[in-house]
Amino acid sequence: MLGVAVLLGAPPAFAADGAETMSPDRLQSAIGQMLMLEFHIGVDRYQADKGGDHRLAIADMTGLAVDFDLGGFVVEHHNDALLLDPDFAAVRSVVGLDGLQPLVAVNEEGGRVQIAADWWYDHDATWIGCTSLGPIAGYRANHPNSSTSWTCPDHGWEDGAHYLPFLRSAHLMGARWTEDETAAHAEDIGRALAVLNVTVDLAPVLGVSDGTSAASALGDRTFADDPNRVAAWAAAFSRGIRSGSGGRVATIVKHFPGLGSVTANTDDDPARSPPLADLVRRDLVPYERSVDQYYEASGVMMSNAMVPGLTCPESDPACTVPATLAPNAYRLLRDAYGWDGLVMTDTLQTPAVLGEARAMAEAAVAAVDAGADMVLVKPASNDPSLDDHRQILSAVRDALLAWVEAAPEQRRPRIALSLARIEAAKATIASQPPR
């Protein structure tokens, strides 16, 4: 069991070359690179089936990437049709600070959490279905037997192999498939994501549970209740994504220090995990492997759950500080588990983070102050306008600039260090050929 004595003591000192000479423009751009925007296109003008035009969304995303020097975007499942448009390449092709390009990320975990899931049903504790994202020009699946179905009759598809395969749940892969079969399935997904101009898969999940909703809020998003099996199958999945995409899609392991035994889904409600001592023996075991060598991942996503003995005193049941906002959680990841690369938050637009009337900008500052290199932000509205996206980005950027200038000697190096980690993570993504 790894020691956790590193948690006691002062926060680490930060140092990065050239931080003291960072110009105001460079500082603003560096902060922009630390922002991941969950872009929501619910407004009618973006929906082609309502007389709108996806090109407007692509133009708006490109404009935001340029104006804020954004680190990247998260494309959620209800926005997936954007990826079929060849013009979407313009979003990931924006060139920002130091030649950096925006990340284009999706949550392609499998089962209930994936883009383009058109229909599914629960069959023998596994999610079965198909996707409606396609046809994808230049893509054909290599492993048709790894997908549930190549034809969804309701859509009249002639050859579903040109569509994004339905990604089976982590629970099914861990319970029924070998590591090689899991990797082969992930290779198909990785190749499709690369063709669709996706550059990051926010997966795999390293949570440890038996895959039932009764045992964990994650349900079938976990590979197994054996932490060593979780590590092996998650590594096979991650390596499959990397191999299938030719290195053009990076992976992010999540959610540190573990969500396998939390009391609620942190996307919907505040959640409490078991005490740190329990996590070290179970949920944290997969993190004993090297993030970049064993999993071939480019970063780690933090959990939005509260952890007694880590983010809060075990004696304080009223404390609700999530790992995303807790310096001790980042220190545990860095010092006890040895990861010095990119660390990003989970979405900050959730009651688990904003539950005490905390504003998004305040939460972003707290996360960066705690140790995050990138923060996932989005407007509060379920039907945001372009101005809503601009306002939330401006508010977060300005709050972070004010935070830095309140203690520039200490915090400019902190921003420079995060920028270096972002640059290193983006360097693991192979360049995308024209589509």
Side-chain angles (χ1 to χ4, degrees):
M1 183 173 71
L2 295 180
V4 294
V6 294
L7 300 178
L8 304 176
F14 300 104
D17 293 340
E20 68 281 354
T21 60
M22 187 180 287
S23 69
D25 286 346
R26 182 173 179 79
L27 174 62
Q28 181 165 294
S29 290
I31 288 174
Q33 285 292 321
M34 297 172 70
L35 307 183
M36 286 282 287
L37 176 65
E38 299 176 78
F39 189 80
H40 183 75
I41 59 169
V43 292
D44 288 353
R45 78 190 193 96
Y46 291 149
Q47 303 293 347
D49 61 349
K50 296 180 180 178
D53 192 334
H54 283 149
R55 289 173 296 179
L56 291 174
I58 293 169
D60 286 347
M61 294 175 76
T62 302
L64 291 170
V66 171
D67 293 347
F68 291 90
D69 211 328
L70 280 185
F73 295 93
V74 179
V75 179
E76 296 291 355
H77 63 87
H78 48 272
N79 301 339
D80 48 54
L82 277 176
L83 301 174
L84 287 175
D85 194 320
D87 290 339
F88 189 78
V91 176
R92 65 162 174 81
S93 299
V94 171
V95 178
L97 180 67
D98 296 341
L100 296 174
Q101 295 176 302
L103 300 174
V104 176
V106 295
N107 285 286
E108 192 72 1
E109 299 176 12
R112 294 174 295 169
V113 182
Q114 61 184 301
I115 58 173
D118 187 59
W119 59 262
W120 55 86
Y121 63 95
D122 190 4
H123 174 71
D124 191 21
T126 66
W127 289 89
I128 292 180
C130 62
T131 74
S132 58
L133 191 61
I136 303 172
Y139 169 76
R140 182 181 178 87
N142 284 336
H143 305 281
N145 291 333
S146 69
S147 181
T148 302
S149 170
W150 289 122
T151 304
C152 285
D154 290 345
H155 295 283
W157 298 349
E158 295 181 359
D159 187 356
H162 291 287
Y163 285 68
L164 181 68
F166 183 86
L167 179 55
R168 302 302 292 270
S169 70
H171 173 62
L172 180 141
M173 289 186 271
R176 302 188 180 184
W177 289 358
T178 66
E179 292 168 73
D180 287 345
E181 288 171 328
T182 297
H185 189 39
E187 284 178 3
D188 268 351
I189 301 298
R191 288 196 311 111
L193 294 180
V195 174
L196 292 170
N197 293 301
V198 171
T199 58
V200 178
D201 186 5
L202 299 175
V205 172
L206 299 190
V208 181
S209 83
D210 67 2
T212 66
S213 57
S216 168
L218 286 179
D220 67 353
R221 296 169 64 189
T222 63
F223 287 97
D225 61 358
D226 175 352
N228 293 306
R229 190 175 181 88
V230 167
W233 264 250
F237 178 92
S238 183
R239 290 195 293 264
I241 294 290
R242 292 290 287 163
S243 174
S245 68
R248 289 175 287 165
V249 179
T251 58
I252 302 291
V253 295
K254 62 186 185 184
H255 311 77
F256 188 88
L259 284 180
S261 303
V262 296
T263 57
N265 184 339
T266 58
D267 289 340
D268 303 320
D269 299 290
R272 183 185 184 94
S273 90
L276 175 60
D278 292 347
L279 295 186
V280 169
R281 290 189 292 267
R282 178 177 169 86
D283 297 68
L284 281 165
V285 170
Y287 291 95
E288 294 177 5
R289 280 78 167 176
S290 169
V291 170
D292 54 346
Q293 298 298 315
Y294 184 78
Y295 296 108
E296 297 185 12
S298 298
V300 176
M301 177 181 285
M302 298 298 287
S303 157
N304 278 336
M306 184 275 282
V307 183
L310 179 67
T311 70
C312 291
E314 290 192 51
S315 59
D316 185 1
C319 178
T320 60
V321 177
T324 302
L325 307 183
N328 276 353
Y330 293 88
R331 195 174 300 118
L332 179 69
L333 175 60
R334 301 287 191 198
D335 297 346
Y337 290 88
W339 177 240
D340 193 40
L342 176 70
V343 180
M344 63 173 57
T345 71
D346 199 344
T347 181
L348 296 181
Q349 187 60 54
T350 171
V353 175
L354 305 180
E356 297 180 354
R358 184 184 288 113
M360 174 68 72
E362 180 186 354
V365 168
V368 171
D369 191 36
D373 300 307
M374 300 187 82
V375 292
L376 272 62
V377 301
K378 67 178 179 180
S381 171
N382 290 325
D383 191 17
S385 65
L386 176 59
D387 284 344
D388 291 331
H389 287 96
R390 286 189 172 278
Q391 287 171 11
I392 197 64
L393 288 172
S394 294
V396 172
R397 180 194 61 192
D398 292 349
L400 284 169
L401 282 169
W403 172 79
V404 170
E405 294 310 323
E409 292 185 2
Q410 175 188 0
R411 293 169 180 170
R412 282 177 178 254
R414 171 69 180 78
I415 298 298
L417 181 57
S418 284
L419 177 61
R421 289 170 175 155
I422 293 166
E423 290 177 337
K426 290 187 173 185
T428 67
I429 301 171
S431 60
Q432 297 271 64
R435 184 177 167 194

